[in-house]
Amino acid sequence: MRRRYLVFLITAALLLLSYGALQIGAAQPNLGETCPALVAEALDTVGQRCAAVNRNEACYGFNQVRASFIESVTAPRFTAPGDLTNLTNLNSISPQPLNAAVNEWGVAVLNLQANLPNTLPGQGVIFMLLGDTS
């Protein structure tokens, strides 16, 4: 079930970002050619590496995610796509903005237990942070 939500989110994000990239590409032709390939690569990596993210965990999705950890906790490795950490270890997480010149873009996936309408008690809700967010 969780994997289905992740695939749905990735597909929706890819469609939205591809549309945005096409709009940007109309004004800046070089970025329009680079951006969709980078977006496709990022979302493919996230889909493969973050499929195992459990409830109340964060996954380092794509190549530029900065995270700070609570000082009293020894931070686990969280430096490469697929790395997971418990949300209680995090002070902040911040995927970095798109930099098409060097093929960098931050993507992170969070699986949070949340009290939201139309969710089951204890159900995890998947959030995908895409570039320049905190």
Side-chain angles (χ1 to χ4, degrees):
M1 184 89 157
R2 179 176 1 133
R3 185 169 177 88
R4 189 175 83 199
Y5 287 126
L6 185 58
V7 169
F8 172 76
L9 285 173
I10 290 170
T11 303
L14 181 59
L15 291 173
L16 288 171
L17 292 170
S18 295
Y19 176 76
L22 292 174
Q23 297 302 316
I24 292 170
Q28 301 172 353
N30 292 338
L31 183 59
E33 295 171 6
T34 304
C35 188
L38 180 61
V39 169
E41 178 187 355
L43 297 179
D44 184 51
T45 299
V46 169
Q48 292 175 18
R49 304 273 173 90
C50 293
V53 65
N54 292 312
R55 188 176 56 195
N56 294 325
E57 283 187 331
C59 178
Y60 189 115
F62 197 63
N63 69 5
Q64 288 297 316
V65 177
R66 294 188 183 142
S68 65
F69 293 86
I70 297 170
E71 291 181 29
S72 62
V73 175
T74 303
R77 195 184 102 179
F78 197 72
T79 58
D83 288 349
L84 300 171
T85 191
N86 194 298
L87 290 174
T88 59
N89 296 337
L90 284 174
N91 188 36
S92 68
I93 186 166
S94 180
Q96 298 303 292
L98 174 67
N99 184 343
V102 293
N103 283 339
E104 291 181 348
W105 187 43
V107 180
V109 175
L110 308 176
N111 185 342
L112 306 171
Q113 182 175 345
N115 184 12
L116 296 174
N118 301 320
T119 60
L120 298 173
Q123 179 179 2
V125 180
I126 305 288
F127 292 89
M128 186 181 306
L129 305 178
L130 303 167
D132 204 19
T133 56
S134 298

